């Protein structure tokens, strides 16, 4: 999967309904910009296999290269869904050898307490540089690029 085309939408899950084929779900997110609907099917990757429920804050990523219906509220097919902790942000980007995001939106400072794992939850013991990373973090510096010491990194091999 080309993770560079994924666009995040963060919001509170307002409603979950069964999809047409019984293997999928329709998730309605309440965001700062209004309601956004997502379909989550068997191929949607849900980090930690979390059970999604109404009232939960989550970030869904959709592929901006795929066609979408011209309806309101917007409806996308979720490729990946992650649930952050309270006051936590999620970033998905390619990080270079200096752990700077490709769009220079974030620089990572890895600490001994940073949990680094693969998408299936296994410990990742190599250098996470030059890879697509899903980063869970709270605070950043005011520098350019902003720096953070993430709580968790999921390496998208």
């Amino acid at each position: 999967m080309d993770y560079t085309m994924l666009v995040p939408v963060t919001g509170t899950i307002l409603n979950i309904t069964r999809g047409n084929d019984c293997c999928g779900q329709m998730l309605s997110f309440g965001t700062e910009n209004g309601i956004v609907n997502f379909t989550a099917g068997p191929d949607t990757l849900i980090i930690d296999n979390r059970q999604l429920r109404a009232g939960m804050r989550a970030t869904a990523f959709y592929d901006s290269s795929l066609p979408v219906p011209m309806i309101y509220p917007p409806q996308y097919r979720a490729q990946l869904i992650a649930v952050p902790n309270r006051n936590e942000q999620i970033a998905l980007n390619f990080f270079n050898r200096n752990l700077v995001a490709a769009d220079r939106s974030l620089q990572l400072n890895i600490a001994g307490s940073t949990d680094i794992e693969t998408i299936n939850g296994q410990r990742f013991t190599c250098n996470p540089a030059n890879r697509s990373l899903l980063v869970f973090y709270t605070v950043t510096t005011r520098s350019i690029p902003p720096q953070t010491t993430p709580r968790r990194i999921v390496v998208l091999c």
Side-chain angles (χ1 to χ4, degrees):
M1 176 185 292
D2 181 11
Y3 296 105
T4 61
M5 299 303 289
L6 296 185
V7 176
V9 175
T10 300
T12 301
I13 299 173
L14 302 175
N15 191 20
I16 301 174
T17 56
R18 188 186 76 204
N20 294 338
D21 65 356
C22 295
C23 289
Q25 297 177 323
M26 176 69 76
L27 304 154
S28 291
F29 276 48
T31 71
E32 292 176 350
N33 300 320
I35 294 175
V36 178
N37 292 326
F38 288 96
T39 58
D43 57 341
T44 301
L45 181 60
I46 300 176
I47 301 296
D48 298 329
N49 293 318
R50 295 280 302 263
Q51 180 68 40
L52 302 175
R53 61 185 184 283
M56 178 181 276
R57 187 171 155 264
T59 300
F61 294 84
Y62 68 90
D63 188 339
S64 62
S65 69
L66 295 178
V68 295
M70 296 295 287
I71 59 173
Y72 184 83
Q75 180 176 316
Y76 304 104
R77 188 169 19 157
Q79 301 297 315
L80 187 145
I81 299 174
V83 178
N85 287 342
R86 174 173 271 130
N87 300 322
E88 199 168 50
Q89 303 296 317
I90 296 178
L92 172 62
N93 215 316
F94 179 85
F95 288 82
N96 68 18
R97 63 186 174 93
N98 296 318
L99 294 175
V100 176
D103 62 2
R104 298 196 43 80
S105 61
L106 194 62
Q107 180 174 354
L108 307 180
N109 298 316
I110 297 177
S113 61
T114 302
D115 181 27
I116 305 174
E117 59 190 40
T118 62
I119 198 76
N120 64 1
Q122 303 304 305
R123 269 188 73 211
F124 187 80
T125 57
C126 298
N127 185 349
N130 292 317
R131 299 178 189 273
S132 292
L133 305 175
L134 184 66
V135 180
F136 295 76
Y137 66 97
T138 52
V139 295
T140 63
T141 64
R142 292 179 181 243
S143 62
I144 298 176
Q147 297 181 36
T148 188
T149 302
R151 173 186 68 84
R152 179 180 183 198
I153 298 172
V154 176
V155 180
L156 304 173
C157 297

